[in-house]
Amino acid sequence: MYSVKSVKELQDLNPFLIIGCGGGGEKFSNLEGIETVGFVDDDKNKQGTIFCGKEVYSDIESHLKNSDFKSVAIMLPIGAEGNALKYAVEAINVGKNVVCSFRSLPIKSNSSLLKFAKEKDVSIKEISPRLDNVKKVSGVSPENCSEVLPKISYDSKTPIVFVGGTSQECGKRTTTKMLGIAAKEKGLKSAIISTDEMGIEPPTDINFRAGSLSAMDVPAAILSSIKYADENLNPDIIFIEGQSSLTEKENPHPRGLSASILIGAAPDAVIVAHRPNHPYREPRGIDEEVKAIEALEPTKVVGLSVNLKNSDELVEDFENNFNLPTDDVYYNGASKLLDAILEFLQETSK
């Protein structure tokens, strides 16, 4: 099989020329017993520099003239499939073995490379996501790796508000929707990004189930949504619905999803939703969630949205206990929370 299952398989292919001066290239060069003669990268700013102690060239041909290597390792990110294929064909054509990463060149989707390598009497191997091991320990696994989105960096100039919560089903979606309605009533143009398939009610602009994406793809999807909203909707403010909680007890699985959405949003301000006496969830509470959010991202929780359908407490009780503007948006709307957001944004922009 072409899937690499041990570092010994790679050591047998030494020495390597590595394509890609990023995290993947560095990790590969640091594997036990790997001999690296140099690197290749398309980035002109990296060419001619030293990376991991070796010189960076612009192409494979330059290294053929200056060093002796047996194999080429292609360690490029998702989104670089075209370049990865180009380098693989070039390496095989000059009689070099190829080791590639599923992230940029999954062999399963490029079976012609296997045939080409066989014709040239060289090896081609893939550092795979090892979903076979996931199936062994869990009994089931995805057929293919689900990490597919290109990783982007984007700095929005539009204020971004994240709506988090202390648990699942505590009012995040309703709060996000009501904030959009309050913004419209105030004459502001908002963009609402829902991260749930149930986010189909107006005034939501973009919705998708973030839980269907890999942890690596969630921030990319959020950033791409923000960029799309900026370029196509021209909003005055962007509201992003979170999922689950960073701190909810007894159900750890969606907590990473909550973190991924928050990290992608990189919000200027946060509203935390809470449902006291939750009938089927076990939130740790507002204090813990606020601390967790503000520790994970450089942001500020500026208000609380409380769902009081299972509680005899009053809005004022939470406002006094936590010293934050608080309201039950289901009954009162979100204008009070929106005012707290706008006041905070105005203060921090000075």
Side-chain angles (χ1 to χ4, degrees):
M1 284 291 291
Y2 51 79
S3 179
V4 174
K5 291 182 170 62
S6 73
V7 73
K8 176 64 169 57
E9 296 176 51
L10 299 177
Q11 293 168 352
D12 291 341
L13 299 177
N14 275 326
F16 282 91
L17 172 66
I18 299 177
I19 311 296
C21 295
E26 182 179 17
K27 282 190 283 188
F28 187 90
S29 68
N30 287 333
L31 287 172
E32 182 180 353
I34 292 299
E35 300 171 21
T36 304
V37 301
F39 291 84
V40 168
D41 201 285
D42 286 342
D43 188 341
K44 292 182 179 180
N45 294 321
K46 295 180 180 179
Q47 294 165 9
T49 65
I50 301 299
F51 183 76
C52 295
K54 301 295 180 179
E55 189 168 358
V56 180
Y57 285 76
S58 60
D59 51 55
I60 293 177
E61 186 67 29
S62 299
H63 271 291
L64 285 171
K65 299 174 183 176
N66 295 282
S67 56
D68 183 27
F69 55 96
K70 186 177 176 181
S71 306
V72 171
I74 303 172
M75 297 292 119
L76 296 176
I78 285 175
E81 292 85 355
N83 280 345
L85 184 60
K86 176 193 73 174
Y87 285 121
V89 170
E90 184 179 348
I92 294 171
N93 196 49
V94 295
K96 304 298 181 182
N97 303 304
V98 170
V99 174
C100 55
S101 165
F102 73 93
R103 294 170 186 257
S104 57
L105 193 63
I107 294 179
K108 185 177 180 180
S109 303
N110 293 276
S111 57
S112 58
L113 286 176
L114 289 169
K115 297 178 182 178
F116 188 34
K118 187 174 181 180
E119 289 174 7
K120 290 291 186 176
D121 196 27
V122 297
S123 296
I124 182 166
K125 291 183 176 290
E126 177 187 79
I127 298 179
S128 80
R130 295 308 306 273
L131 295 175
D132 57 317
N133 278 337
V134 174
K135 188 171 185 178
K136 180 169 70 176
V137 301
S138 302
V140 66
S141 72
E143 183 177 348
N144 298 302
C145 173
S146 58
E147 183 190 346
V148 296
L149 297 185
K151 305 302 177 284
I152 72 166
S153 294
Y154 181 71
D155 184 16
S156 176
K157 303 305 179 188
T158 307
I160 295 172
V161 178
F162 174 79
V163 180
T166 59
S167 70
Q168 296 183 73
E169 291 84 35
C170 67
K172 294 181 291 294
R173 181 161 53 88
T174 299
T175 301
T176 309
K177 179 181 75 171
M178 298 305 289
L179 282 168
I181 292 172
K184 183 177 180 180
E185 291 172 350
K186 202 176 238 346
L188 297 173
K189 187 175 183 181
S190 69
I192 294 182
I193 300 169
S194 170
T195 54
D196 185 76
E197 73 274 21
M198 295 294 188
I200 54 179
E201 299 170 306
T204 300
D205 297 286
I206 302 168
N207 84 295
F208 58 89
R209 186 177 186 272
S212 296
L213 304 176
S214 77
M216 291 283 282
D217 278 349
V218 171
I222 298 297
L223 282 166
S224 295
S225 297
I226 294 169
K227 185 173 185 289
Y228 178 90
D230 275 343
E231 294 175 349
N232 294 276
L233 305 176
N234 193 30
D236 299 308
I237 191 167
I238 297 175
F239 299 110
I240 299 177
E241 172 200 359
Q243 292 298 317
S244 184
S245 156
L246 295 178
T247 62
E248 182 179 352
K249 294 186 290 186
E250 302 300 329
N251 189 15
H253 311 291
R255 284 165 60 186
L257 174 62
S258 182
S260 296
I261 298 170
L262 174 60
I263 290 167
D268 299 285
V270 175
I271 297 294
V272 168
H274 177 63
R275 185 176 180 178
N277 301 323
H278 203 304
Y280 46 91
R281 299 294 180 192
E282 297 187 58
R284 286 198 176 113
I286 293 170
D287 272 334
E288 288 82 354
E289 192 68 23
V290 170
K291 290 175 184 175
I293 289 171
E294 294 182 349
L296 183 61
E297 272 293 313
T299 188
K300 184 69 176 174
V301 175
V302 300
L304 303 176
S305 172
V306 290
N307 178 342
L308 298 178
K309 65 174 65 175
N310 303 111
S311 175
D312 294 329
E313 295 177 87
L314 302 175
V315 166
E316 291 76 14
D317 296 331
F318 291 91
E319 203 156 56
N320 293 333
N321 288 338
F322 298 99
N323 197 29
L324 285 169
T326 305
D327 217 338
D328 185 333
V329 301
Y330 184 81
Y331 293 105
N332 302 325
S335 60
K336 181 178 178 180
L337 296 181
L338 179 62
D339 286 344
I341 292 166
L342 296 177
E343 182 179 344
F344 175 77
L345 293 175
Q346 186 176 23
E347 289 175 356
T348 54
S349 67
K350 292 179 181 179

